[in-house]
């Protein structure tokens, strides 16, 4: 459809928030939950459904895991693999794209490498994009006296793929993961490539053992960083939480779809599995880029 000489570009995106995944749950029950959310998104005619960071397992960096076999049980050494194949099969059948975060075990020149990864999958279930988390929060060793750990720096290495964008479903889409959203260069790297949409999953505890004086601002800082990223780059941002009390760690929800204006157009209201969606008008993104920010132009448009 043409409007004012411009093609009307829209993509309907769902944010599939997950409630807690506990240790005993196992992948089969988690996959069933992901499938249910994916089916709900497809029945609402969504083009794309976005799942959180480390969506197949509990957020294991909250624990000090000493046994290598146990630690590797949280990683995927292939994607897809037989444990998660059902998600790819269903997506192909429903003709819906998806993005999901997982712990990736890669073999590089015979050496094992561990990444916190997210992928972008098109409507025919092909993996067209991969991002490996660059900003890793937390510590390289367990912290005494903390009620829970964040050992991402111990378990993962920083991503080595940069911030990429991929054209699919009529949009230019990029990804970042959780802590990345607090750093302006994450969104900026995508914005500078002309991204229409940034997808990101997060696992954000209510309580920060290192910085407890900011606990009352946890949800504010989540929204602030995503809304600023959206507005300052004229793009849609879809932020998706793993929420609720997971193995004793309370995590925020508030998964949100944010317009290029910086306005939150839809937000989850629970700390459980919950789907929200919005028909994202990419013309709005074009408008912010060409009128206010004029990315790539020398001229000020104000
Ligand atoms: N998974 C994360 O990256 N979590 C961080 C916490 C540890 C501050 C976050 O930015 O939400």
């Amino acid at each position: 459809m043409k409007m004012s000489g411009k093609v009307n570009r829209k993509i309907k995106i769902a944010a599939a928030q997950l409630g807690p995944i506990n240790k005993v749950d196992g992948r089969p029950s988690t996959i069933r939950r992901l499938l249910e959310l994916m089916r709900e998104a497809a029945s609402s005619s969504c083009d794309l459904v976005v799942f959180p960071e480390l969506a197949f397992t509990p957020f294991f960096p909250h624990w000090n895991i000493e046994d290598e076999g146990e630690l590797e049980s949280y990683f995927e050494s292939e994607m897809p693999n037989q444990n998660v194949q059902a998600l790819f099969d269903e997506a192909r059948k429903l003709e819906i794209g998806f993005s999901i975060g997982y712990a990736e075990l890669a073999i590089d020149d015979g050496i094992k490498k561990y990444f916190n990864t997210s992928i972008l999958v098109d409507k025919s279930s092909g993996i067209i994009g991969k991002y490996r988390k660059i900003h890793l929060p937390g510590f390289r060793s367990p912290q005494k006296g903390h009620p829970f750990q964040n050992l991402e720096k111990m378990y993962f290495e920083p991503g080595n793929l940069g911030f990429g964008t991929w054209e699919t479903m009529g949009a230019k889409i990029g990804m970042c993961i959780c802590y990345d959203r607090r750093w302006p260069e994450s969104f900026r790297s995508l914005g500078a490539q002309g991204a229409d949409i940034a997808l990101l999953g997060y696992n954000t505890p209510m309580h920060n053992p290192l910085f407890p004086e900011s606990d009352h601002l946890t949800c504010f800082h989540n929204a602030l960083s995503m809304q600023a990223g959206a507005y300052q780059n004229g793009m849609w941002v879809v932020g998706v939480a793993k929420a609720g009390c997971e193995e004793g760690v309370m995590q925020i929800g508030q998964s949100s779809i944010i317009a290029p204006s910086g306005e939150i157009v839809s937000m989850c209201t629970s700390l459980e599995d919950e789907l929200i969606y919005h028909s994202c008008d990419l013309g709005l993104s074009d408008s912010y880029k060409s009128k206010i920010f004029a990315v790539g132009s020398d001229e000020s448009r104000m």
Side-chain angles (χ1 to χ4, degrees), residues 120-175:
L120 179 60
V121 180
D122 70 11
K123 287 185 175 185
S124 53
S125 260
I127 298 176
I128 59 159
K130 181 187 271 193
Y131 169 70
R132 290 170 171 161
K133 186 173 182 178
I134 289 175
H135 301 94
L136 297 173
F139 297 90
R140 289 192 174 79
S141 60
Q143 300 301 294
K144 286 207 178 77
H146 284 193
F148 57 89
Q149 304 295 323
N150 187 325
L151 297 173
E152 285 195 61
K153 283 196 177 78
M154 185 165 105
Y155 295 146
F156 301 117
E157 58 185 271
N160 56 2
L161 301 175
F163 290 101
T165 54
W166 298 271
E167 305 234 10
T168 184
M169 300 170 226
K172 191 180 256 201
I173 301 178
M175 295 180 279

Side-chain angles (χ1 to χ4, degrees), residues 92 98 286-287:
R92 188 181 305 112
F98 69 96
D286 295 338
S287 201

Side-chain angles (χ1 to χ4, degrees), residues 1 8 87 90 109 122 127 149 180 222 233 240 248 293 297:
M1 185 184 181
N8 184 14
L87 198 64
E90 191 69 3
D109 261 346
D122 70 11
I127 298 176
Q149 304 295 323
D180 284 324
N222 175 50
N233 295 286
V240 188
F293 298 119
S297 160

Side-chain angles (χ1 to χ4, degrees), residues 17-20 52-53 62 148 178 181-182 200-208 214-226 239-246 249-256 267-272 274:
Q17 177 172 288
L18 288 176
E53 174 190 33
H62 284 156
F148 57 89
C178 196
R181 73 196 185 292
R182 301 182 192 272
L200 74 109
Y202 57 89
N203 282 260
T204 300
M206 291 294 296
H207 170 59
N208 185 331
S214 78
D215 281 357
H216 65 296
L217 299 171
T218 302
C219 288
F220 169 67
H221 287 154
N222 175 50
L224 178 68
S225 45
M226 296 196 296
V240 188
K242 170 110 70 58
C245 190
E246 185 180 88
V249 181
M250 182 54 89
Q251 304 202 113
I252 65 165
Q254 302 203 339
S255 301
S256 297
M267 186 196 274
C268 284
T269 54
S270 75
L271 293 174
E272 296 163 9
E274 182 181 344

Side-chain angles (χ1 to χ4, degrees), residues 14-290:
Q17 177 172 288
L18 288 176
I21 299 175
N22 289 303
K23 257 187 186 176
V24 292
D25 291 344
R27 285 194 187 50
S29 95
T30 305
I31 296 293
R32 279 195 292 278
R33 289 165 60 187
L34 298 173
L35 285 171
E36 200 169 310
L37 288 160
M38 178 179 273
R39 288 185 190 120
E40 191 184 337
S43 72
S44 305
S45 308
C46 292
D47 298 290
L48 175 67
V49 54
V50 185
F51 296 106
E53 174 190 33
L54 300 186
F56 296 129
T57 63
F59 191 80
F60 61 88
H62 284 156
W63 317 318
N64 180 23
I65 302 169
E66 288 173 343
D67 180 77
E68 193 181 329
E70 185 191 343
L71 180 62
E72 288 192 356
S73 72
Y74 292 107
F75 283 77
E76 317 294 326
S77 52
E78 273 180 297
M79 190 54 64
N81 60 56
Q82 62 173 21
N83 291 327
V84 306
Q85 185 64 48
L87 198 64
F88 285 74
D89 293 344
E90 191 69 3
R92 188 181 305 112
K93 192 174 107 196
L94 298 171
E95 295 181 32
I96 189 168
F98 69 96
S99 172
I100 194 159
Y102 64 96
E104 178 192 7
L105 169 53
I107 309 286
D108 191 1
D109 261 346
I111 296 167
K112 285 181 178 176
K113 297 199 164 188
Y114 303 85
F115 298 103
N116 186 338
T117 295
S118 61
I119 49 171
L120 179 60
V121 180
D122 70 11
K123 287 185 175 185
S124 53
S125 260
I127 298 176
I128 59 159
K130 181 187 271 193
Y131 169 70
R132 290 170 171 161
K133 186 173 182 178
I134 289 175
H135 301 94
L136 297 173
F139 297 90
R140 289 192 174 79
S141 60
Q143 300 301 294
K144 286 207 178 77
H146 284 193
F148 57 89
Q149 304 295 323
N150 187 325
L151 297 173
E152 285 195 61
K153 283 196 177 78
M154 185 165 105
Y155 295 146
F156 301 117
E157 58 185 271
N160 56 2
L161 301 175
F163 290 101
T165 54
W166 298 271
E167 305 234 10
T168 184
M169 300 170 226
K172 191 180 256 201
I173 301 178
M175 295 180 279
C176 58
I177 301 177
C178 196
Y179 192 52
D180 284 324
R181 73 196 185 292
R182 301 182 192 272
W183 302 82
E185 68 270 21
S186 308
F187 290 117
R188 190 70 207 124
S189 302
L190 301 178
Q193 294 171 58
D196 299 302
I197 306 165
L199 311 176
L200 74 109
Y202 57 89
N203 282 260
T204 300
M206 291 294 296
H207 170 59
N208 185 331
L210 181 68
F211 192 31
E213 58 274 33
S214 78
D215 281 357
H216 65 296
L217 299 171
T218 302
C219 288
F220 169 67
H221 287 154
N222 175 50
L224 178 68
S225 45
M226 296 196 296
Q227 289 180 263
Y231 173 66
Q232 292 176 337
N233 295 286
M235 64 190 179
W236 290 85
V237 170
V238 182
V240 188
K242 170 110 70 58
C245 190
E246 185 180 88
E247 298 289 350
V249 181
M250 182 54 89
Q251 304 202 113
I252 65 165
Q254 302 203 339
S255 301
S256 297
I257 301 175
I258 299 156
S261 59
E263 293 165 290
I264 296 175
V265 295
S266 188
M267 186 196 274
C268 284
T269 54
S270 75
L271 293 174
E272 296 163 9
D273 291 8
E274 182 181 344
L275 194 87
I276 54 170
Y277 48 83
H278 187 81
S279 182
C280 300
D281 180 356
L282 304 182
L284 200 56
S285 171
D286 295 338
S287 201
Y288 272 86
K289 286 186 177 78
S290 65

